[in-house]
Amino acid sequence: MTRIDTTFAALKSERRKAFVAYIMAGDPDLETSLSIMQGLPGAGVDVIELGVPFTDPMADGPTIQLAGQRALDGGQTLDKTLDMVRRFRAGNDTTPIVLMGYYNPIYSMGVAHFLEKATDAGIDGLIVVDLPPEEDSELCLPAQAAGLNFIRLATPTTDDRRLPKVLQNTSGFVYYVSITGITGAAAAQAAQVGPEVARIKAQTDLPVIVGFGISTPQTAQDIASVADGCVVGSAIVKEIASGKPVADVLDYVRALADGAHQG
């Protein structure tokens, strides 16, 4: 079992929903993002989703695009991101870390080399949004053979014919995208999300975590109430972009986590 599997098993036994927080590695700079990352577990975060900056982030809206650009301008790379995880692991060996990004940097590093470095650094799972199930042999299957979870996204346009293919080699949890479009584009609605989560759960025993369109403690609570938990990304990245002190960013994350845990 990975740290992700262990965490969700513990949450299930406690009848508690999960809160997943996304930050961009290297935004606004490496040391600040590491400080925020190190504070996330204490702020109630159950799983950390760590973005790898990339020049063409097709699934991301302006907020995360700008975060990625700031990180790239500061010299952030995939290697530096993995080193950041290694530094985090020196003080925390329990909180799951999911690396979220695009295939190009991994391909450029070489899949075997990347997987060796990722597992050594302490990565638990991958979300690679531009690799469909038809390309599972490219990274998904080697990643799972290396002991990493490979987490898929399901969306409102993933119909019942497509869903089994999406779920086929998914592990860890299913990430349900609550809206059609890019990150930060609209607000999630529990009334619309609930039936979709139920539809997915009818075909898998994996936890279903909902992301996109969550920016307040109340929305986090509402969405978590109809799923196994929720993810917040753009709203946290906005707080970081505003230049607020790390402690203030973590206070905001704590309020979101409290909302999700009441779901």
Side-chain angles (χ1 to χ4, degrees):
M1 288 177 66
T2 66
R3 292 183 187 90
I4 296 171
D5 300 325
T6 302
T7 294
F8 278 106
L11 288 166
K12 186 176 182 180
S13 71
E14 296 165 10
R15 297 186 178 181
R16 204 160 62 93
K17 302 302 178 72
F19 181 67
V20 182
Y22 170 98
I23 61 169
M24 176 67 72
D27 176 45
D29 58 71
L30 179 57
E31 294 305 321
T32 303
S33 63
L34 177 60
S35 293
I36 293 169
M37 185 181 182
Q38 289 169 330
L40 292 176
V45 173
D46 299 298
V47 179
I48 296 171
E49 188 182 341
L50 186 63
V52 179
F54 180 54
T55 51
D56 299 290
M58 64 183 185
D60 295 310
T63 299
I64 292 179
Q65 285 183 32
L66 289 169
Q69 195 57 56
R70 287 191 297 270
L72 290 170
D73 289 346
Q76 190 72 11
T77 63
L78 178 55
D79 260 322
K80 287 183 179 179
T81 301
L82 293 175
D83 186 57
M84 180 176 160
V85 173
R86 199 171 287 108
R87 291 172 66 188
F88 174 88
R89 284 284 177 234
N92 182 313
D93 195 42
T94 56
T95 303
I97 300 172
V98 175
L99 211 60
M100 187 275 179
Y102 299 83
Y103 187 45
N104 185 280
I106 296 170
Y107 178 80
S108 297
M109 181 178 282
V111 168
H113 187 45
F114 164 74
L115 291 175
E116 181 181 349
K117 294 190 78 166
T119 52
D120 179 67
I123 296 294
D124 303 292
L126 304 175
I127 297 175
V128 183
V129 296
D130 54 349
L131 273 182
E134 286 75 14
E135 306 296 336
D136 274 357
S137 60
E138 194 80 21
L139 178 62
C140 172
L141 298 180
Q144 293 193 343
L148 299 176
N149 291 127
F150 201 87
I151 295 143
R152 287 265 186 236
L153 275 64
T155 74
T157 59
T158 307
D159 60 23
D160 287 337
R161 187 171 57 179
R162 178 66 175 168
L163 186 58
K165 186 74 173 175
V166 170
L167 296 174
Q168 183 176 321
N169 290 314
T170 299
S171 62
F173 61 91
V174 179
Y175 188 136
Y176 179 69
V177 176
S178 67
I179 58 173
T180 53
I182 53 177
T183 57
Q189 302 293 328
Q192 297 169 1
V193 169
E196 291 298 300
V197 170
R199 182 170 69 91
I200 296 167
K201 289 180 76 67
Q203 297 198 37
T204 181
D205 292 330
L206 292 171
V208 179
I209 307 301
V210 177
F212 288 46
I214 302 167
S215 60
T216 67
Q218 186 59 59
T219 309
Q221 181 178 344
D222 292 345
I223 295 298
S225 72
V226 297
D228 295 302
C230 68
V231 185
V232 178
S234 293
I236 295 171
V237 171
K238 273 185 185 175
E239 292 291 304
I240 296 168
S242 72
K244 290 181 179 177
V246 169
D248 289 358
V249 173
L250 294 174
D251 283 345
Y252 176 70
V253 172
R254 187 175 291 106
L256 291 166
D258 288 346
H261 291 147
Q262 292 170 26

